[in-house]
């Protein structure tokens, strides 16, 4: 098979025979001057055989023909899968290199590890009894640790107790129900709070409780009251009339007399009594005998004396 047939079969095109043009040699200026040097070889041995040179010349296989350049269709075919990208190829190479390095290190460790004999008697630590080298004891201990770790992973979390609820026990060893104990503690705290609130309520007097009830009723009624209350409000006027004032000049003109009653509804004492700091009147059954230690009397006397001294000092300063 000739070279042209081989190219036509495998590459679909064959280069035609390229006619080799004779090279143009530049003649010197002396040759054009008319001086001709004749060669002594008259037999014509010096003539070049261009046909023979063309036959013996090497064929240019890499040349591209005009017909191949004109084709718009790509005749190249992809063999196998497409080549991966540079990033994918780098990641794959890294994974393969790490796996190879790990296998190599494991093989190297197995080769460097000393030979172990399992026929002898073992101690609790996993090492054999008797005289041994240090590297053999270390290898035996390491192998026992790896075996225990693999067995622990195979048993799972149920055997290890991870994720299970903590069991509490008392001094006698009985199991304590945590939910029941929490409910009992919550109930006890609520009882303590209720007892403290009852004690605080018991410390209040009848007047404080009555005032608290009155304020609650006033808040309930305030929802139905208008925002502004004027002088012709009947309820406001009645409330203002019910208040007793010791310096009220128009109190004597009231035709409607009312009996004095306390906030609790009980009648008040109508006779004379010693004043006190809180303005509390004695009960209606008081016999008029002061059984105190005289502190209230001394308190008011000291207050009045201090006020008199202050007024007298001011008067002397004004006289000067």
């Amino acid at each position: 098979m000739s070279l042209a047939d081989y190219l036509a079969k495998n590459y679909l095109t064959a280069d035609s025979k390229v006619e080799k043009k004779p090279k143009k040699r530049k003649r010197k200026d002396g040759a054009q001057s008319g001086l001709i040097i004749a060669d002594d070889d008259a037999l014509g041995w010096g003539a070049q055989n261009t046909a023979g040179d063309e036959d013996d010349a090497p064929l240019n296989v890499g040349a591209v023909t005009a017909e191949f350049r004109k084709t718009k269709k790509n005749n190249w075919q992809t063999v196998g899968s497409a080549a991966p990208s540079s990033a994918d190829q780098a990641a794959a190479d890294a994974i393969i290199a790490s796996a190879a390095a790990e296998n190599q290190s494991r093989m190297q460790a197995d080769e460097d590890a000393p030979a172990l004999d399992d026929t002898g008697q073992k101690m609790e630590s996993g090492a054999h009894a008797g005289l041994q080298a240090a590297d053999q004891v270390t290898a035996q201990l390491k192998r026992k640790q790896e075996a225990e770790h693999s067995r622990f992973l195979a048993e799972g979390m149920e055997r290890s107790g991870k994720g299970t609820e903590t069991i509490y026990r008392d001094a006698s060893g009985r199991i304590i129900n945590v939910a029941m104990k929490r409910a009992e503690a919550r109930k006890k705290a609520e009882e303590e709070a209720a007892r403290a609130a009852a004690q605080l309520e018991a410390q209040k007097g009848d007047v404080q409780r009555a005032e608290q009830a009155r304020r609650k009723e006033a808040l309930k009624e305030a929802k139905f009251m208008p925002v502004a209350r004027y002088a012709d409000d009947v309820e406001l006027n009645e409330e203002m009339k019910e208040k007793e004032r010791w310096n009220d000049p128009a109190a004597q003109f009231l035709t409607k007399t009312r009996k004095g009653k306390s906030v609790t509804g009980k009648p008040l004492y109508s006779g004379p009594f010693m004043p006190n700091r809180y303005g509390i009147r004695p009960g209606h059954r008081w016999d008029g005998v002061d059984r105190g230690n005289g502190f209230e009397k001394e308190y008011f006397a000291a207050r009045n004396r201090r006020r008199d001294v202050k007024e007298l000092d001011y008067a002397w300063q004004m006289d000067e």
Side-chain angles (χ1 to χ4, degrees), residues 7-320:
L7 294 176
K9 181 179 179 181
N10 292 280
Y11 298 96
L12 304 177
T13 58
D15 293 339
S16 59
K17 222 170 188 180
V18 181
E19 295 181 358
K20 188 175 181 180
K21 297 181 179 180
K23 297 181 180 180
K24 295 182 178 180
R25 296 181 179 178
K26 294 182 179 180
R27 296 182 179 180
K28 296 181 180 180
D29 297 338
Q32 298 177 359
S33 60
L35 179 62
I36 300 175
I37 301 174
D39 194 0
D40 294 338
D41 192 357
L43 298 178
W45 293 100
Q48 296 180 357
N49 189 4
T50 57
D53 294 341
E54 292 177 358
D55 293 338
D56 296 338
L59 185 62
N60 189 6
V61 179
V64 182
T65 60
E67 181 182 357
F68 185 76
R69 286 196 302 267
K70 289 179 180 180
T71 57
K72 298 296 183 69
K73 183 180 179 182
N74 188 6
N75 295 325
W76 296 98
Q77 297 180 0
T78 303
V79 179
S81 60
S85 61
S86 58
D88 297 341
Q89 186 66 29
D93 293 343
I95 294 172
I96 293 173
S98 62
E102 185 178 356
N103 294 334
Q104 185 67 20
S105 62
R106 190 183 297 109
M107 292 174 61
Q108 187 68 23
D110 295 340
E111 291 177 359
D112 296 341
L116 301 178
D117 187 11
D118 296 337
T119 57
Q121 185 179 1
K122 289 186 177 181
M123 295 185 293
E124 185 178 0
S125 61
H128 291 281
L131 184 60
Q132 301 179 73
D135 54 353
Q136 293 179 351
V137 176
T138 304
Q140 292 170 4
L141 296 177
K142 185 177 180 181
R143 186 171 64 175
K144 183 182 179 181
Q145 292 177 359
E146 292 177 356
E148 290 178 353
H149 183 66
S150 60
R151 185 173 65 254
F152 176 78
L153 294 178
E155 290 176 354
M157 293 189 301
E158 296 180 357
R159 184 67 178 273
S160 62
K162 186 178 181 181
T164 58
E165 186 178 358
T166 305
I167 298 176
Y168 299 92
R169 298 180 183 272
D170 56 4
S172 61
R174 292 178 298 181
I175 297 177
I176 300 174
N177 192 347
V178 181
M180 186 180 298
K181 289 294 182 181
R182 289 175 180 172
E184 292 177 357
R186 192 182 303 108
K187 184 178 179 181
K188 186 177 180 180
E190 292 176 356
E191 291 177 355
E192 290 292 337
R195 190 180 299 109
Q199 291 179 359
L200 182 63
E201 188 67 23
Q203 293 175 2
K204 296 180 180 180
D206 296 339
V207 177
Q208 285 82 3
R209 283 193 289 269
E211 287 291 335
Q212 186 177 3
R214 187 182 63 81
R215 285 195 297 269
K216 288 182 179 179
E217 291 294 332
L219 289 175
K220 290 181 180 179
E221 294 177 358
K223 296 188 296 185
F224 307 101
M225 289 183 181
V227 179
R229 303 182 71 178
Y230 301 97
D232 57 350
D233 192 343
V234 179
E235 294 181 359
L236 181 60
N237 292 331
E238 291 294 332
E239 182 180 355
M240 298 298 291
K241 288 179 181 179
E242 288 179 359
K243 290 184 179 180
E244 295 182 1
R245 301 173 181 83
W246 66 272
N247 58 350
D248 187 4
Q252 56 183 345
F253 300 108
L254 294 176
T255 56
K256 182 179 178 182
T257 60
R258 295 175 302 162
K259 295 182 179 180
K261 289 185 178 181
S262 64
V263 179
T264 58
K266 296 178 181 180
L268 296 176
Y269 181 76
S270 58
F273 62 93
M274 290 294 296
N276 54 68
R277 290 170 291 172
Y278 306 103
I280 300 175
R281 297 171 63 90
H284 64 285
R285 291 180 179 159
W286 184 52
D287 57 356
V289 179
D290 187 5
R291 294 176 176 85
N293 55 4
F295 177 79
E296 298 291 337
K297 182 179 179 181
E298 295 294 336
Y299 170 78
F300 282 107
R303 190 178 68 173
N304 294 336
R305 190 183 308 111
R306 186 167 54 252
R307 185 181 60 186
D308 294 342
V309 170
K310 186 177 180 180
E311 290 178 357
L312 186 59
D313 187 14
Y314 178 76
W316 285 348
Q317 290 179 5
M318 294 300 295
D319 290 341
E320 293 177 358

